[in-house]
Amino acid sequence: MTNYEEWAERVLAGGTLTDEEGLAILNSPDEDLLPLLHASYKIRKHYYGNKVKLNMIINTKSGLCPENCGYCAQSIVSKAPIEKYAMMKQEEIVAGAERAASVNAGTYCIVASGRGPVNRELEIVIDSVKEIKAKHQDMTVCACLGILKPEQAKRLKEAGVDRYNHNINTSAAHHESITTSHTYDDRVNTVELAKEAGISPCSGVIVGMRETKEDVLAMARSLHAMDADSIPVNFLHAVDGTPLEGTNELTPRYCLKVLCLFRFINPTKEIRISGGREVNLRSLQPFGLYPANSIFIGDYLTTAGQESDRDRQMLEDMGFEIDLEPLKREAVELR
């Protein structure tokens, strides 16, 4: 059996895994799963203790997107019967923040479909963020509005946006198999613009889109190179009517191995179990909190999430605490 704990010690000492070791995690036999989770937890506990960050999404604009992303029910190529609506009003967005505060979600994610925000949409988000920050100073506000221009990133920062999410979704090599209406570099550049504006970068992936294990390793390495503070790891929930309809190549055990890999490659970062955790991890969801230290509560963009009380019961049963600390740019090392 591989000594994963030795690998964890190396990572904690400032080292990293080789590509062969990274792929060995993804290819590890199922009987190695508990030792692998234990080693991943050693890294996670060193930086985050037993705390779990809670995040809540509001889908402020649904559908009506000109992009052709194969996984997305909101894209122009999707035939999924989802609710479609233009940008919400400011009062609706602010009301969502009140709901997030009521359930102790430390991060409130304002998401809008589309290639990028037009002026009217940006103004609504800016005004909403200002009002939210006036009421909830310690709440981390994350915006996810698509591809940004430099001036837009600066204005979001000035309004009080703490974090900007723009997922790379897959590897550079696999990107054109998923979408051709924008490039992989378009996504990376938006994350870099957010960083340049002084906004904490959030970027993650969707696993299970017919990529190879080498692609998964490349995703983890790319996010390390980008220095993303928060890394949402989504597991494909293939929606009927999308090009990836019927794709079902994940098992709960493999999903756990992916989370472990991301913890080994990005030891100090917030690893968030995101969309698709309920349908892919299923009864093994609690084990995901050994490598990961963050989850979404409530619903996702077009799919339902687990009930909040079940999430809270899961955290309590596992002995984890809700992290109520405001955003910190760097992980705090526990001594």
Side-chain angles (χ1 to χ4, degrees):
M1 183 181 293
T2 302
N3 193 334
Y4 301 106
E5 198 158 350
E6 284 185 2
W7 294 2
E9 292 287 355
R10 186 202 313 160
V11 168
L12 288 172
T16 189
L17 300 187
T18 65
D19 286 350
E20 291 75 16
E21 290 166 340
L23 290 172
I25 287 177
L26 297 178
N27 289 312
S28 60
D30 290 341
E31 56 263 33
D32 280 11
L33 189 53
L34 287 178
L36 177 58
L37 286 167
H38 174 73
S40 301
Y41 176 67
K42 187 168 188 174
I43 301 170
R44 177 244 204 269
K45 186 179 180 183
H46 182 81
Y47 291 105
Y48 293 100
N50 266 2
K51 292 189 175 181
V52 176
K53 296 177 183 290
L54 301 184
N55 307 260
M56 181 173 280
I57 287 178
I58 183 169
N59 193 13
T60 61
K61 177 187 172 188
S62 181
L64 312 173
C65 183
E67 303 298 293
N68 65 357
C69 305
Y71 55 83
C72 185
Q74 303 185 79
S75 79
I76 195 169
V77 294
S78 169
K79 297 180 176 62
I82 63 164
E83 186 179 4
K84 298 178 181 180
Y85 49 84
M87 196 73 180
M88 286 181 174
K89 296 178 180 177
Q90 179 178 335
E91 51 264 37
E92 295 175 284
I93 299 174
V94 173
E98 297 298 327
R99 290 192 295 275
S102 71
V103 295
N104 290 325
T107 300
Y108 180 54
C109 306
I110 300 172
V111 185
S113 65
R115 180 177 178 83
V118 298
N119 288 338
R120 173 184 166 274
E121 294 166 348
L122 190 71
E123 295 299 334
I124 291 173
V125 172
I126 285 171
D127 290 343
S128 300
V129 172
K130 288 178 178 177
E131 185 174 348
I132 292 166
K133 281 295 189 176
K135 294 180 179 179
H136 303 286
Q137 205 169 14
D138 287 344
M139 177 177 282
T140 298
V141 176
C142 178
C144 178
L145 312 174
I147 296 171
L148 284 183
K149 299 172 184 175
E151 185 58 33
Q152 292 176 325
K154 291 176 185 175
R155 294 195 63 203
L156 289 170
K157 171 63 177 178
E158 290 167 0
V161 170
D162 301 291
R163 176 174 286 167
Y164 196 83
N165 168 261
H166 201 55
N167 293 335
I168 58 169
N169 286 329
T170 192
S171 71
H174 192 56
H175 180 85
E176 287 192 3
S177 300
I178 302 303
T179 180
T180 56
S181 54
H182 59 269
T183 67
Y184 179 85
D185 287 343
D186 287 333
R187 290 188 166 271
V188 173
N189 290 341
T190 287
V191 177
E192 294 301 326
L193 276 179
K195 288 165 65 175
E196 289 169 13
I199 300 175
S200 171
C202 173
S203 188
V205 301
I206 306 172
V207 177
M209 298 194 295
R210 305 171 187 169
E211 73 280 339
T212 65
K213 292 183 175 73
E214 287 78 9
D215 287 318
V216 176
L217 176 60
M219 295 178 218
R221 293 241 189 258
S222 294
L223 293 168
H224 180 269
M226 291 164 62
D227 197 26
D229 291 332
S230 178
I231 301 176
V233 180
N234 299 274
F235 298 104
L236 180 67
H237 182 170
V239 176
D240 289 348
T242 63
L244 287 173
E245 173 183 347
T247 305
N248 182 24
E249 55 187 28
L250 300 175
T251 67
R253 301 176 304 285
Y254 180 69
C255 293
L256 290 175
K257 294 169 189 177
V258 168
L259 290 170
C260 290
L261 174 71
F262 272 76
R263 175 55 68 200
F264 271 92
I265 300 295
N266 298 279
T268 68
K269 303 303 186 178
E270 177 183 341
I271 307 293
R272 184 182 315 132
I273 318 175
S274 300
R277 71 174 163 97
E278 296 85 353
V279 298
N280 286 292
L281 283 165
R282 299 192 286 277
S283 62
L284 298 191
Q285 279 188 72
F287 290 99
L289 292 171
Y290 284 117
N293 67 299
S294 179
I295 60 171
F296 277 114
I297 58 171
D299 295 335
Y300 302 102
L301 296 177
T302 61
T303 56
Q306 184 166 272
E307 299 88 345
S308 294
D309 58 345
R310 289 185 62 190
D311 282 333
R312 292 178 183 281
Q313 188 65 60
M314 177 175 71
L315 298 184
E316 184 179 329
D317 291 348
M318 295 292 288
F320 288 103
E321 317 169 43
I322 297 172
D323 187 354
L324 300 177
E325 291 292 315
L327 176 71
K328 290 183 175 62
R329 178 64 176 80
E330 298 293 338
V332 177
E333 180 174 334
L334 300 178
R335 298 186 185 278

